[in-house]
């Protein structure tokens, strides 16, 4: 259903309206949910926040609110720990790199050939 709603322009290639009765309604609902101004004017939207919900939907709303609260707390902790890491000075001594000397770079002693 969601793929159809995403891909459907509302009209068929011959100009007729989409034959699925739910298509247009779902498109309107999604548009409303994305562009609702309920937070800006301080009022509750009757579509986004209906007053009379069934007990299952009320439980779902409270579960979503709880999950959102836990998520926001986790994000705040992560930001605080990152901020603390940035402000805490770290004292570290530079580590000495091990000296690696290959056989090719080692000095080679050569003897002069004797002419006798």
């Amino acid at each position: 259903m969601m793929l159809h709603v995403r891909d459907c322009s509302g009209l068929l290639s011959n100009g007729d309206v989409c034959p699925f009765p739910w298509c247009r309604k779902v498109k309107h609902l999604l548009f409303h949910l994305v562009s609702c101004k309920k937070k800006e004017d301080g009022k509750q939207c009757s579509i986004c926040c209906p007053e009379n919900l069934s007990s299952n939907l009320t439980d779902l709303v409270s579960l979503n609110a709880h999950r959102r609260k836990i998520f926001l707390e986790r994000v705040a902790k992560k930001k605080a720990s990152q901020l603390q890491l940035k402000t805490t000075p770290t004292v570290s001594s530079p580590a000495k790199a091990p000296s690696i000397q290959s056989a090719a770079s080692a000095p080679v002693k050569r003897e002069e050939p004797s002419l006798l």
Side-chain angles (χ1 to χ4, degrees):
M1 178 174 77
M2 294 305 290
L3 293 175
H4 173 83
V5 171
R6 180 193 69 181
D7 298 335
C8 181
S9 66
L11 296 175
L12 299 177
S13 59
N14 63 2
D16 290 343
V17 177
C18 179
F20 298 107
W22 45 263
C23 178
R24 189 170 191 188
K25 293 175 183 179
V26 172
K27 281 183 175 292
H28 284 287
L29 176 63
L30 289 175
F31 177 78
H32 172 81
L33 293 175
V34 171
S35 62
C36 182
K37 308 276 189 211
K38 68 180 176 186
K39 293 180 182 176
E40 292 176 8
D41 62 4
K43 297 178 183 175
Q44 293 293 331
C45 173
S46 62
I47 295 173
C48 298
C49 304
E51 294 178 11
N52 301 322
L53 292 176
S54 68
S55 62
N56 290 338
L57 287 177
T58 303
D59 293 342
L60 181 61
V61 167
S62 64
L63 178 63
N64 287 343
H66 175 71
R67 287 181 177 169
R68 180 77 178 157
K69 178 184 172 189
I70 298 297
F71 172 75
L72 292 175
E73 289 172 356
R74 189 176 31 188
V75 169
K77 282 182 184 178
K78 189 171 186 177
K79 283 183 180 181
S81 67
Q82 288 176 347
L83 182 62
Q84 185 179 10
L85 286 176
K86 287 181 181 179
T87 59
T88 305
T90 57
V91 178
S92 63
S93 60
K96 291 184 179 180
S99 107
I100 300 175
Q101 191 174 21
S102 66
S105 65
V108 178
K109 294 183 181 179
R110 296 183 188 227
E111 295 182 14
E112 291 288 327
S114 66
L115 296 170
L116 290 173

